[in-house]
Each structure stands twice: as structure tokens, then as C-alpha cells.
Amino acid sequence: MRTSHLGRVAPCLFLLAAAIVPACSDGGGTNEAEQPGPPVTVPDIEPVAVSAGFSLVVDTGNPDLDGETLEPTAGPVTVSGGGESLGLSAFVKRLPARPEIVRVEVFIENLGEHALRDVNVEVGELPAGVELVNLTNDPFAEPTEGRSFSAGRAAKEGFAKVVFGVTDTGAEVEIPLSISATTTARAATSSAPIAVTPDGKEVWMAWPDGDLVAVVDTETDEREAVIEVEGRPSSVAVTPDGAFVLVAAAEASTVTVIDAATKEIVQTLGEEDGIGREPRHVVMSPDGGRAFVSAYVGESVASLVRNEKRFWFEKSTKVGRRPTGMSVSPDGGTLYVAHFLPRGTVTDNEAWMTVLATDPLAEVREVVFEDPFNTKQVKCLADVFGVSASRLTTEAVPTELWGVFLNPAGTEGWIPATRVAGATVVWERGPNSAELAATASIRTGELLAPFQLVIDTREAREAEVMQMPGVLDPPDVNLPYVKCARLGQEIELISRDLIPSEPGKQVNRAAAFPNGTTGLSETGIARFAAFSRGGRRMLTVSHMSDEIAVTDALTHHPTSQLHFQLSGSSPLGLALTPDGKKGYVVYESSTFASVLDLSSYSKTGALPGPSYVPYSLRDVADFPSAPGALTGKRLVRNIEGVAERPAIEEIGQIALAEADPMDAEMRRGKVLFSSANPDKHPTLSATRLGACASCHPDGGTDGSLWGTMEGERRTMSLRGGVAGRGWLHAMGTHADAAEFASIIVKERLGGELSEADTMALARYVSFGIPQLQAPVTDGALAAKGKEVFGQKCATCHQGAQTTSGNADPNNALGGGAEEGPYLYDVGTFSEDSHVILGTFFESLFPPLEAKLFKELRGDRELGPDDFVQQTLDFRARPARKATEYKAPSLTNAWDSALYFHDGRYDDLGDVIDHLDKHLGLGLSAGEKAAVIEYVKTL
């Protein structure tokens, strides 16, 4: 370790080994002579009760409720009352699918000096004949006799929110409200690669590729220190008193504790201390008494207790596979952990978040994000059409959950993610491709849109998926279906089309579930979110398009037509100063950090309030409607009053390192692999919705399957690089990474790379993608498994890359030999993997498109007579039998979410059982267990 102040590198003070080394090496959790004692915490403020009374008068007969658009409006409601600490605003709308009630959105503004907890809304006596419905998180709720409603918390300068439905009487309805709350200084915390100290004087940021943590003075915006932290540091957390900074380093499996004043490392806790393998995220509790660490490979979360000037390992708990980013509720009692990839096979998979109590650390429950087109869930739709669920099943699972980001009040959690759109085939098209109907084909390069999954966390340990309010808006909605499906709220940022015949209007024709919260235009998949002053605006950072999208965190509506473009490549995170006026961005593939002016969102006395974009669901002559799961109408937005871009300005850059440790070609390849933005990389992709990293995040897998030109295929992991794997893809149809890049970028992404860029991308894919660490294994059992593997499996899984791709030793990229790959029939041929549109939907398309979907379903032979290739004119594949496949590389195979080319299994044990039975291997139960243990080491 070494510390560099203002660019000058100073050696580690090994002369102080007697004092420092024990602190660096001892995690403190295993020494019985030294017990941690109670956590050292920063006390909350003395609580003060606040209250105010209000009166809402809703004119249910106001003509504004019958306008052409569907967004809530303030015109029909009058607010009176209030006090010094609390304000109120309200917006109302009709519900087309529930005409008997009017929806009232109530925003409680915190006007005091501190945050609020236990915000409660008491509804007084209502006029005769008027019923009350709690719609805050249930659009189908029935009238209630209860009159007390929890709004959770309100951040300092922020809002709390409740939503009511009242009987539509056609006249004025008076709603008396009594609101009470208690002051607090607590705010939610989230794990991040960058953090500003509580006093706002410094920003600390981790740069994994440089193995360093940089410290920047926020007054001068100059780097004041660089601290070496080996093992790809990826997350930082600052104690609330600003005394210490904790750094999680994934490859080193360590958490490093740094004295914030001296910038010296004072303690290092490792895997042997209970941290877990490959910790990627660390987060502090709001009171500073505990830190929490999620270990991606270890599949665990650990709690660390702060005692005086040390942190002690307290407890670790298993939480399931691939835990990622975390948040802690303001009271410190609840921890939320996202899981990166889904679990289960294609027809029965789901994404999820784990909810844990923090003292003691223990799982409380899971929050599940369903695939609405799984066999079980799609029955809601099957009942509408009167067909079997199997004819409608397709892939639509949420995946790539990068973390949980609570708003400062802790009342909502936002999870950046995406949905694998198996129903949308990954088209590859050549210059002589047949024209396809607009209902069957998307634009080249439109693969995956970013989503924000929204969680209701007002009751911290009762967290649940936020329900989609827009399900009641479509004029043609099938009410039994949406009641059955219980669709969660997901904010999607998808491509738009301006309507030529209607200036100032646009449609989002490819939105999965179109509603008023759908983003106005596309951006790339995001992995981070931050909140402006008061938690009023959410800033979503796209790692793929290098953009920031700004959303109204109160109404969930977009606030600009387009997004703010950052100067660096692959942003990892964003941190704001306490006054909200400045922001700092750290990147994965840039040697500098950016400084942002965010003062437009931080003007004292003029902070942005609730806002809506006018929208409707209707037919549009320029864009013929098509049947959809929610509606057959188009989502139309009036954007005349919407800002073109966010009010953000980049005002500086701060160098984090003197030089890039990665050579220029490899860095260029990494940028191309991770990027999708035609404005920055016009030769790479035609949209922001398609990149190599869309399906291979960080070089791994999205944990799902796609409809491809070769059939329904699982996404293979590229970890460890593909050099030496020989021929690529399940059927061995691409000779090497360069041949693949030159064709796929052009035909799948809509770009056309130069020869230099093609080689840069191919070199990164071949050599630049790192492996994950192996999980903890039983050494003796793995050694036995290696012997069995060599006897029973190595005939097909050959060489260092354990594959039958038949690598050519003379191929500079480790590609395949001219004679082709070795392919085998291991009994995995499938006529329908239930990935692309179910057979029922074929009747909705013209004959050509229907036949294409039918041919693409399952597996088929490839060669000169391939109907799909002849129709679409993509680069012809070599002749391959429908039943024969390449033995895939087993590098990090333990991390795969699905196995075999059709993803039929999600467990290595099932794979071994299948091969044993089909190939007659004669493996005993013990040998099977040993082989599994060995494969985990690869």
C-alpha cells in the first residue's frame, strides 16, 4: 500500500509496523481477548413532534377532469390550511377503468430544518355518500373504513406522499386532513463507488482499473491524495462523523479502513475475517455503528461493527446468488440487497431482492420481480384469449439488477435493471433483407432498454413491489387481466418517434407497458442512481450511453426529452455535495472524474416540485397500433413544455491517475464493448439500446435466453476471454472474435467499425475480460472430481478452455481451426424453448413474419437452404445439424444462471445427471458430486 498526496508518492510507513501492521492484518472478529463492545454511533437529534391541519376540496365535476390527456392536474382541487413545518399540494385525475372514483395524489412538503419520520395522515369526516380508497400502492383497492394512513418519511426539504380515491359525486368533496410527524436527522444510505464526506469538503472515489482511491477537495476541485488499494476497489463508504472511509476491493476480497484525516490505511479485513469472497459493495448504516458488505462470489452479506477506531466482523449470512448493491433504511434497522441475475429456468424464472434485519443480521423476506410471461403468470393473459398458457409463454424476465437505491427518506427503492425481451428477436439483417412488418421487427440495434424497478419501502421490513398506476388508464384495458397480473411499476426509457402530423407530440411505440412514467427517449442500461437536494429528482447514470437521465422522483414522470451527455466513458457512480449544487462522476474507462453543476436543482426556496408530462393512449395515424399486453393504443406525449435536456453542466475534470494502466488498444476495445451511443460512437451502434455489454454485462451473462438467427439460445459468459475457445457460439458458427465483431456489429447493432476498432474489440473480447474468483470448495473432493472429469468429460471439454471449439494454435485471437469445431449430440435438441413469442401470436402477423417466428423457435439445421438466412440476408452460417452442439467452455461455469444452449437447467447437478444418462457415463452419486466440485474451480 502507498499513499500519494497531490501526486507525490510516499512509501508506506513500515517503520511503524509494530503499531500499524496489527491493525492492518487483524480483522478483530476472532480475537477472544478483545471484544468489540457496543457500536459507536452518531446520535440522532432530539425528536420534536410537528403537525398541521389541511382541507382539500376536490371538484369532481370540474371539466379539467375530462381533458384529452390522462396526467393528474391541480385545477380541480383547492388546498387550505398548513403551518410552518408542513405544506401540502394535491393533483387529481379520473381513472378510466374505475369511473366511480377520482384519484387524488397528496404531496406533504417538509418545510422544517430536519427530516421527518412517522409521517401519518388522518382523514376526517367525509360528506355523506363519499367513500375513501387507499390507492398509494394498490390501484384495485376497495373502499376502507380506516382513516389513518402512513406516509413513511420525508427527507429534509423533501416530500412524503399518499394517494386516495374518493367517490366521484359530480360535485365538490371536502377532505379534512390532519398530518403529524416527528423530526429526525437520519437519511437512507446506499453503496456507491464514490462518496462525499458529511461536511462536503472532500469526495472519495474508487477506480478499479487503477487499483486506487482518489480524494478530491470540493472547494478547489483538485486531487489531494491517491491511496493504493489492491484488488480492484469498487465501493467506498464514509462514516457519518467523517472519520473513516471503508473500501471494498473485489479481487482482493478485502475491506480496507482508511483514516480520513491522515489518508493512511489503518485496518484491513479479509475473507478469513468473514468478509466473504469478492466483496463488491460496502454501505454504512445511517448512525455509523455498522457497515455491511455484499460478497458476489461468497453469496453472503457481512456486518461490521465500529468500536472506537476499529471495525470488527460481527456476523455473516447467506443471501442467495450474486448479491450486488445495497441500501440501509434511515433508522438503520433494515438492509436491502439486490441480486444481479434471475433464478429459475425460462418458464419459471424471476428476479429478486433480499430484505434483512440488521441487528442481528438476518433475512426477513424476499421481494420478487416476476416475469409476467412465465407459465404461471401468463395464465392471466391466457384466460383472456381462452388458450393454454404454454401457447403464450415467452421470455421477459428482469435481470442485471445493479443495486438498490433508496431515496433519502427511505420510502421508495429504485433498482436499475433491464428486461430480457425474448419476444423481440435479435434480428440480423443484410443489404438484401426482405422488408418486415413494423409489428414484427424492431430497429437494428434495439436490444435492451433500461428499466427502474420501483419498491414501496414506507414500511421498511414490509417492502413490496410498487404497483403500476397506469394499468387503469387504457380505454381498452382488460380489467380482469390487469387485476390478475398485478403488474409492478417499472420506468422504461425506450426510443421515441416524433409524430409528423402533430408537432409537439411523440410516441414510444416499443414500450413494453406504456404509461405516464415511461421515459421520453432512450438511454443505455443504467447501473447507478442518485438523488438531488430534498430527494426531489432522481439522476440515473447509464454506464452504456454515458448519460444522466433525470426523473421526477415524486411523480416518476420524466423531466426532459433527451438526457445529459457526460464526457467520460462508462460512468460508475455519481455523488452530490450536501447542498446539492455540485456533483462528481467517476468512470470505469476514463482516467479522470467529472465535476457537474447541479445548481438548477438546488436553489434554496425554489426547489423543483411535483411535475407531470401530458400523455394519452390513443390511435395515431402515422404509427398504426398493434396488440399489446396492456393496450393496443399508442402512448402519446405532449412535449411542448418539456425541457430538451436536463439542467446540468459539466464544469471540470479531475485527473485520477498519471497514466492508464491498460494499453490504448485494449482500452478502446473495452470502451467499444461497453458502449452504445451513436452520438459518441457513430460507427458502433445505431441506437443506445444495443451493446455487447447489453447481454454480456462486465463480460458475463444476462442469465437468460434470446431468439437469435440460429435459434433460441442462452447468453454465454465470456469471462476469462474467448481466446482458445476456437469456434464461437453454441453451434460453432463464428471462427473467432474478429470475424464475429465485424459481422455482428454491422448486422445486429447497425454499426460498421473500422479495421482498427474491430481488432480492438476482438482483442478485448479475446484477452481482456477477467474471470471471477472461484467459490470456496472442498479441495479433496475437487481433486477427486478432476480425476473423474479427465476420464469421463475431457474428451469433449478439451484443453485449458475445456471446450470442443477446436482452437487453431496459429490464430492470434485463439480462434477456430479451418476444419471446424467438434460438435456432439447430447440430447439437447428442442422444438420450442419458450423464448420467442408463443405459437398463439403467430396468427397476429402476416404470413412471412409468422413463418420466420416459427422457424426461429427451437432448433433447426443451418446451411445453404436456411429459409431464415435467405429471407434476411445475414451472413450465412456454416452447415450445422439441428441436433449437434459444441461443448462449451466451463470457465466460471458455476456462475451460469442456465445450462445447455436452450437453458433447460439452472443447476449443475441436473446437467451432470442429464449427461450421465444420455451418454451412459455410469457415474456414481459421489463421482457426480466430485465433478461438480471440480467444475466450480475452473
Side-chain angles (χ1 to χ4, degrees):
M1 62 182 180
R2 71 175 186 266
T3 302
S4 170
H5 292 274
L6 298 175
R8 296 191 299 272
V9 178
C12 180
L13 302 180
F14 288 113
L15 295 177
L16 300 181
I20 294 179
V21 170
C24 291
S25 61
D26 180 13
T30 58
N31 190 339
E32 295 182 1
E34 298 180 83
Q35 294 300 319
V40 173
T41 62
V42 176
D44 198 356
I45 61 172
E46 191 69 27
V48 176
V50 297
S51 62
F54 297 88
S55 175
L56 301 184
V57 178
V58 180
D59 183 2
T60 63
N62 192 301
D64 287 352
L65 289 171
D66 298 310
E68 295 182 355
T69 54
L70 295 165
E71 76 286 353
T73 178
V77 60
T78 303
V79 179
S80 59
E84 293 184 359
S85 298
L86 298 171
L88 200 74
S89 56
F91 303 82
V92 298
K93 64 173 286 184
R94 290 201 194 283
L95 296 175
R98 296 189 70 177
E100 75 280 6
I101 60 175
V102 171
R103 176 185 169 96
V104 185
E105 297 189 2
V106 178
F107 295 92
I108 304 154
E109 185 172 11
N110 180 9
L111 303 175
E113 294 296 317
H114 301 286
L116 299 175
R117 60 177 172 84
D118 304 324
V119 181
N120 191 72
V121 180
E122 191 78 24
V123 180
E125 186 174 350
L126 298 175
V130 174
E131 293 186 304
L132 185 69
V133 184
N134 183 4
L135 299 176
T136 303
N137 192 28
D138 186 358
F140 307 106
E142 295 298 325
T144 176
E145 294 297 324
R147 291 294 182 266
S148 183
F149 303 96
S150 172
R153 293 172 174 256
K156 179 182 178 181
E157 300 181 305
F159 285 87
K161 178 182 177 181
V162 293
V163 183
F164 299 130
V166 295
T167 304
D168 186 351
T169 65
E172 291 186 347
V173 175
E174 183 175 2
I175 309 174
L177 301 177
S178 297
I179 300 173
S180 61
T182 304
T183 59
T184 178
R186 301 287 193 232
T189 55
S190 299
S191 57
I194 182 170
V196 175
T197 54
D199 61 10
K201 293 182 178 180
E202 292 179 339
V203 56
W204 289 65
M205 57 193 78
W207 188 39
D209 279 2
D211 279 351
L212 62 83
V213 173
V215 188
V216 170
D217 184 315
T218 59
E219 182 177 353
T220 63
D221 287 335
E222 294 183 354
R223 186 186 70 193
E224 62 179 33
V226 173
I227 304 163
E228 282 195 354
V229 178
E230 295 181 355
R232 297 189 62 79
S234 55
S235 183
V236 298
V238 184
T239 57
D241 60 2
F244 296 100
V245 178
L246 279 67
V247 182
E251 287 187 358
S253 293
T254 59
V255 171
T256 299
V257 182
I258 302 173
D259 185 306
T262 65
K263 310 296 186 292
E264 296 290 345
I265 294 175
V266 295
Q267 187 181 4
T268 299
L269 295 98
E271 188 176 3
E272 67 278 9
D273 298 306
I275 294 301
R277 185 156 295 183
E278 199 147 317
R280 297 187 178 185
H281 296 268
V282 59
V283 62
M284 287 298 308
S285 176
D287 66 6
R290 285 181 172 83
F292 304 96
V293 186
S294 65
Y296 186 90
V297 174
E299 301 176 2
S300 63
V301 170
S303 59
L304 309 177
V305 176
R306 179 184 174 186
N307 178 250
E308 298 301 333
K309 294 186 178 182
R310 297 169 61 80
F311 282 83
W312 302 76
F313 169 79
E314 181 183 39
K315 186 180 181 183
S316 177
T317 186
K318 290 288 186 178
V319 293
R321 304 196 72 186
R322 309 177 189 88
T324 53
M326 303 173 289
S327 278
V328 185
S329 61
D331 66 4
T334 308
L335 177 69
Y336 306 97
V337 185
H339 295 265
F340 189 64
L341 297 183
R343 60 189 177 190
T345 53
V346 169
T347 57
D348 187 27
N349 52 3
E350 62 189 15
W352 85 105
M353 175 187 83
T354 299
V355 181
L356 299 105
T358 59
D359 185 18
L361 189 67
E363 182 174 327
V364 174
R365 63 198 300 263
E366 293 180 343
V367 177
V368 171
F369 308 96
E370 294 180 341
D371 177 345
F373 291 93
N374 276 341
T375 305
K376 181 179 178 181
Q377 285 75 21
V378 84
K379 188 177 184 303
C380 297
L381 189 61
D383 289 344
V384 172
F385 292 111
V387 299
S388 67
S390 63
R391 294 194 63 204
L392 293 173
T393 302
T394 184
E395 178 65 306
V397 71
T399 185
E400 300 181 33
L401 279 61
W402 289 99
V404 183
F405 297 90
L406 289 179
N407 61 9
T411 56
E412 289 183 356
W414 299 67
I415 301 179
T418 188
R419 271 194 185 272
V420 172
T424 304
V425 173
V426 184
W427 300 104
E428 294 172 28
R429 312 280 285 277
N432 300 311
S433 172
E435 284 294 321
L436 300 182
T439 54
S441 176
I442 59 174
R443 296 183 181 96
T444 302
E446 286 186 337
L447 300 180
L448 283 173
F451 284 79
Q452 287 280 6
L453 312 178
V454 188
I455 309 300
D456 181 353
T457 53
R458 287 172 300 142
E459 301 295 334
R461 295 188 186 176
E462 299 300 319
E464 58 183 348
V465 174
M466 186 75 76
Q467 296 297 297
M468 184 187 296
V471 296
L472 298 176
D473 288 338
D476 55 349
V477 68
N478 186 293
L479 202 55
Y481 162 65
V482 293
K483 275 188 174 182
C484 174
R486 304 290 296 186
L487 300 172
Q489 182 167 353
E490 300 175 4
I491 298 172
E492 179 183 12
L493 289 96
I494 194 71
S495 57
R496 68 170 179 171
D497 294 280
L498 300 176
I499 303 176
S501 62
E502 300 182 47
K505 305 284 199 313
Q506 70 166 67
V507 299
N508 296 87
R509 61 187 177 90
F513 294 98
N515 66 87
T517 66
T518 302
L520 288 175
S521 63
E522 68 178 50
T523 188
I525 294 174
R527 63 167 63 182
F528 193 85
F531 293 86
S532 71
R533 182 169 163 180
R536 298 178 181 224
R537 296 292 183 263
M538 185 181 70
L539 288 72
T540 301
V541 183
S542 171
H543 179 265
M544 186 174 295
S545 64
D546 306 332
E547 292 180 316
I548 297 177
V550 181
T551 304
D552 186 328
L554 310 174
T555 68
H556 305 169
H557 275 234
T559 64
S560 65
Q561 298 178 45
L562 304 173
H563 313 295
F564 176 75
Q565 184 69 68
L566 292 160
S567 62
S569 295
S570 305
L572 293 171
L574 164 67
L576 281 66
T577 53
D579 62 8
K581 294 182 178 180
K582 290 171 71 174
Y584 296 85
V585 178
V586 64
Y587 302 94
E588 182 174 33
S589 284
S590 292
T591 59
F592 61 84
S594 291
V595 187
L596 307 180
D597 180 356
L598 301 173
S599 57
S600 291
Y601 303 104
S602 305
K603 296 178 181 177
T604 302
L607 299 180
S611 64
Y612 301 89
V613 177
Y615 72 99
S616 60
L617 294 162
R618 58 180 173 84
D619 293 322
V620 179
D622 304 87
F623 300 95
S625 298
L630 189 60
T631 178
K633 305 298 182 182
R634 290 298 186 196
L635 172 64
V636 179
R637 243 79 72 82
N638 184 340
I639 56 174
E640 291 177 318
V642 181
E644 183 178 6
R645 293 186 184 272
I648 301 174
E649 181 182 358
E650 187 167 339
I651 56 176
Q653 295 179 347
I654 304 164
L656 304 183
E658 309 306 325
D660 191 342
M662 188 176 288
D663 72 70
E665 184 184 52
M666 188 69 82
R667 178 64 71 190
R668 176 64 176 172
K670 185 173 184 177
V671 169
L672 292 171
F673 183 88
S674 302
S675 300
N677 185 332
D679 294 336
K680 294 186 75 171
H681 307 286
T683 63
L684 178 61
S685 61
T687 80
R688 289 164 166 78
L689 304 180
C692 300
S694 294
C695 305
H696 300 282
D698 286 341
T701 171
D702 57 23
S704 188
L705 278 83
W706 287 85
T708 75
M709 296 299 94
E710 298 176 11
E712 295 169 308
R713 298 287 186 267
R714 75 175 174 105
T715 303
M716 291 185 176
S717 171
L718 309 179
R719 295 197 185 278
V722 301
R725 296 190 187 185
W727 287 79
L728 306 175
H729 269 202
M731 284 181 159
T733 51
H734 293 277
D736 59 27
E739 185 259 3
F740 180 83
S742 64
I743 298 299
I744 294 301
V745 166
K746 182 177 182 179
E747 297 185 353
R748 185 178 291 186
L749 301 183
E752 190 160 2
L753 294 179
S754 67
E755 183 176 346
D757 276 351
T758 297
M759 289 308 300
L761 177 56
R763 182 173 169 233
Y764 176 73
V765 172
S766 298
F767 303 103
I769 299 174
Q771 285 185 228
L772 295 172
Q773 298 178 65
V776 176
T777 55
D778 181 323
L781 187 61
K784 178 182 177 182
K786 183 177 182 180
E787 293 180 8
V788 177
F789 186 91
Q791 297 166 3
K792 303 287 188 176
C793 311
T795 301
C796 299
H797 292 280
Q798 304 170 7
Q801 283 279 25
T802 58
T803 177
S804 66
N806 190 20
D808 180 354
N810 297 315
N811 185 298
L813 297 173
E818 185 176 350
E819 61 266 27
Y822 306 127
L823 305 177
Y824 308 96
D825 183 351
V826 293
T828 56
F829 170 81
S830 173
E831 293 185 349
D832 188 352
S833 299
H834 299 288
V835 176
I836 66 171
L837 284 172
T839 57
F840 170 79
F841 294 102
E842 289 177 7
S843 62
L844 304 179
F845 296 104
L848 175 62
E849 288 75 8
K851 185 174 181 180
L852 280 173
F853 280 119
K854 184 175 182 178
E855 291 290 323
L856 290 170
R857 188 175 293 111
D859 301 320
R860 71 183 192 282
E861 291 195 358
L862 304 180
D865 298 325
D866 180 12
F867 167 79
V868 178
Q869 191 278 326
Q870 292 174 351
T871 303
L872 299 179
D873 191 41
F874 55 81
R875 198 270 298 178
R877 303 300 198 254
R880 299 287 186 257
K881 294 181 180 180
T883 56
E884 295 185 347
Y885 296 88
K886 184 186 75 169
S889 171
L890 300 180
T891 299
N892 285 158
W894 63 268
D895 185 52
S896 296
L898 298 168
Y899 296 96
F900 287 133
H901 75 278
D902 63 348
R904 63 180 59 196
Y905 300 124
D906 63 349
D907 183 81
L908 271 172
D910 293 334
V911 174
I912 301 298
D913 286 342
H914 174 98
L915 294 173
D916 180 47
K917 180 178 180 180
H918 184 81
L919 301 177
L921 300 178
L923 297 174
S924 68
E927 288 174 326
K928 291 177 183 178
V931 169
I932 292 171
E933 199 73 357
Y934 170 64
V935 169
K936 290 179 181 178
T937 70
L938 297 175

